[in-house]
Amino acid sequence: MRLRTTATATAAAVALVVVPLSSAAQADTVKPAKKPALTAKAAPAKKVPTKKVPAKKVPTKKTAAKPKVVNTPTPTPTVTPTPTPTPTPTPYLFPQPTDIAQIAPAQHASAAAVIEFVKTQLGKSYKLGGVGPTTYDCSGLMLTAWKNVGVELPRTSGQQYLATIHIKLEDIKPGDLVFFGKAGNQHVALYMGDNKVLDAASTARGVTYSDLSWSWYTKNFAGVGRIPTP
């Protein structure tokens, strides 16, 4: 049913007249399509700019880095082998004569004169078989020195060894004869004191002083002979 509204306004009242429509008229009337209800679109939310607050840096306390412990293997100490000391060879002493005097006899009175004579021959040349006055061998020097004071000695050192009285080394005195080699047959010298002898040593050295501590003399020592007072 369609409503037709007639309004007449008066000062006192308002009359409303409702006129009913016929069915045909109602049929001819096209009902308007319902408009979809309008829904209010929500206004887009305004983007509120956010102020970026920088994150506060919390100061970190720097700790010193711990040194890495490296397990270095302890080096094995090098052991230097102790060198084996070279043994000092025991000097070979020729067998001492069995007739060593337990009490050494007194020296010949001319022993001091013999010492002075051989000193005058220092520096002269060595020559095998030499008996002076310019060249000597070892026994030739002893032969001439003692002959100079009137004592005759045999020619060779071995013979002189047999001709003298054998005494202990601790009893030696200047003027005694010192022998080397087996039975004194290798060398002879005149003892001058303080462990030294004077001898016609060799071609290279001539008539000179030698020390009884030298290796050759120590190794070849045979004994001490004394010419006693007649």
Side-chain angles (χ1 to χ4, degrees):
M1 178 171 48
R2 184 175 179 182
L3 295 179
R4 184 180 292 175
T5 305
T6 304
T8 304
T10 62
V14 177
L16 294 176
V17 180
V18 177
V19 180
L21 297 177
S22 64
S23 300
Q26 290 180 5
D28 294 334
T29 305
V30 179
K31 294 181 180 180
K34 289 184 179 180
K35 291 183 180 179
L38 297 176
T39 56
K41 290 185 179 179
K46 290 184 178 179
K47 291 184 180 178
V48 180
T50 56
K51 188 177 181 180
K52 290 186 179 179
V53 180
K56 288 185 179 180
K57 290 184 179 179
V58 180
T60 56
K61 188 177 180 180
K62 289 186 179 180
T63 56
K66 292 183 180 180
K68 291 183 179 179
V69 179
V70 180
N71 293 326
T72 305
T74 304
T76 305
T78 303
V79 179
T80 304
T82 304
T84 304
T86 304
T88 303
T90 303
Y92 176 75
L93 300 180
F94 285 95
Q96 299 297 297
T98 56
D99 57 345
I100 292 179
Q102 295 302 310
I103 299 175
Q107 280 184 316
H108 195 284
S110 298
V114 171
I115 291 171
E116 292 305 314
F117 174 82
V118 294
K119 283 181 180 179
T120 63
Q121 308 305 305
L122 278 168
K124 291 189 176 180
S125 300
Y126 175 92
K127 183 179 180 181
L128 182 61
V131 292
T134 57
T135 61
Y136 294 94
D137 64 12
C138 63
S139 58
L141 180 61
M142 299 300 105
L143 174 72
T144 302
W146 283 96
K147 188 176 183 179
N148 192 55
V149 295
V151 176
E152 292 285 343
L153 287 178
R155 175 66 186 85
T156 67
S157 62
Q159 292 169 339
Q160 291 173 2
Y161 177 80
L162 295 174
T164 58
I165 296 175
H166 305 141
I167 62 173
K168 298 174 184 178
L169 181 60
E170 55 263 33
D171 292 332
I172 194 170
K173 290 182 179 180
D176 289 332
L177 277 64
V178 186
F179 295 94
F180 303 90
K182 187 176 181 180
N185 62 6
Q186 194 169 352
H187 190 59
V188 61
L190 189 72
Y191 187 68
M192 305 296 285
D194 197 24
N195 211 45
K196 289 181 174 55
V197 295
L198 195 153
D199 58 347
S202 64
T203 303
R205 297 177 62 219
V207 178
T208 186
Y209 284 102
S210 300
D211 197 304
L212 290 178
S213 64
W214 292 351
S215 61
W216 187 91
Y217 291 88
T218 302
K219 182 178 179 180
N220 293 283
F221 175 78
V224 180
R226 175 170 291 177
I227 297 174
T229 297

